[in-house]
Each structure stands twice: as structure tokens, then as C-alpha cells.
Amino acid sequence: MIEPIVKVLHKPPVLCIEVLSPEDRWRRVLERVRDYQQMGVQAVWIINLRSRDIWIAGHAGEPVLHEEESLTVQGTPVQLPVTEIFAFSDEAPLGDDPDSE
């Protein structure tokens, strides 16, 4: 059963995904990850499209570099091949140059 979309969260989502922008700083990203963890989020994926790196943070602890072929959320059917993330991002410009459109 699909739950309705709510404007205010009353329970934590299973997964939060942070896609880094050029302006993001690691310290600020870690602050957001800790906020998610304190909220009770089970998993956080941090994706850097430029470097093609992905870090995974569980419900506690620091993010670790992900080196497997698929992203999963333990105890759920969520599974996403890493190649699909980067294939999707390759189709869209990263927005560095406003004149490149």
C-alpha cells in the first residue's frame, strides 16, 4: 500500500538522498546527515555527480565511501544500480556554465 504524501513529516523516512552541488561543503553535509540520523532516518546516501563518489551513512555513524555495484537499504526492497545514477546524470548538464545551454 502506498502512503499518501504529507507536507509535515510525522515519522522519519527510510532513506534521504543528498546530491551534492559545487557549493556544498563537507562539514555542512555532515550536519545534515546528523540531523537526518537524529530524526531516525535509517539510511542516507550522499552522491557527488562530478567525482562519481557515493557515501553511505546508516542510522548512526559517519558516512563511508560506497564501492559496491548497487545501493540498498537494509530490510527493504530498495536497490539501485550505481551505474543507473550516473547514467541518468550523464544525460543532464551539471549546470556549471549558464551559457552552455
Side-chain angles (χ1 to χ4, degrees), residues 49-94:
L49 297 175
R50 284 177 168 70
S51 68
R52 299 177 98 77
D53 289 327
I54 299 174
W55 293 269
I56 304 294
H59 67 278
E62 296 294 315
V64 295
L65 187 61
H66 181 78
E67 299 187 51
E68 297 176 25
E69 293 181 11
S70 289
L71 292 162
T72 61
V73 177
Q74 189 175 24
T76 74
V78 174
Q79 181 173 354
L80 180 63
V82 169
T83 55
E84 284 188 31
I85 293 171
F86 297 122
F88 176 76
S89 72
D90 289 343
E91 295 173 12
L94 293 176

Side-chain angles (χ1 to χ4, degrees), residues 18-26 29 32 47-50 94 96:
E18 286 283 329
V19 179
L20 302 181
S21 72
E23 294 80 28
D24 277 318
R25 298 296 171 252
W26 193 246
V29 171
R32 287 194 301 268
I47 302 171
N48 186 328
L49 297 175
R50 284 177 168 70
L94 293 176
D96 287 344

Side-chain angles (χ1 to χ4, degrees), residues 9 11-17 32-46 55-64 71-79:
L9 295 177
K11 62 181 183 176
V14 173
L15 170 67
C16 287
I17 302 171
R32 287 194 301 268
V33 168
R34 282 191 283 278
D35 288 344
Y36 294 141
Q37 290 170 327
Q38 289 173 355
M39 185 181 170
V41 172
Q42 182 178 336
V44 181
W45 298 349
I46 304 164
W55 293 269
I56 304 294
H59 67 278
E62 296 294 315
V64 295
L71 292 162
T72 61
V73 177
Q74 189 175 24
T76 74
V78 174
Q79 181 173 354

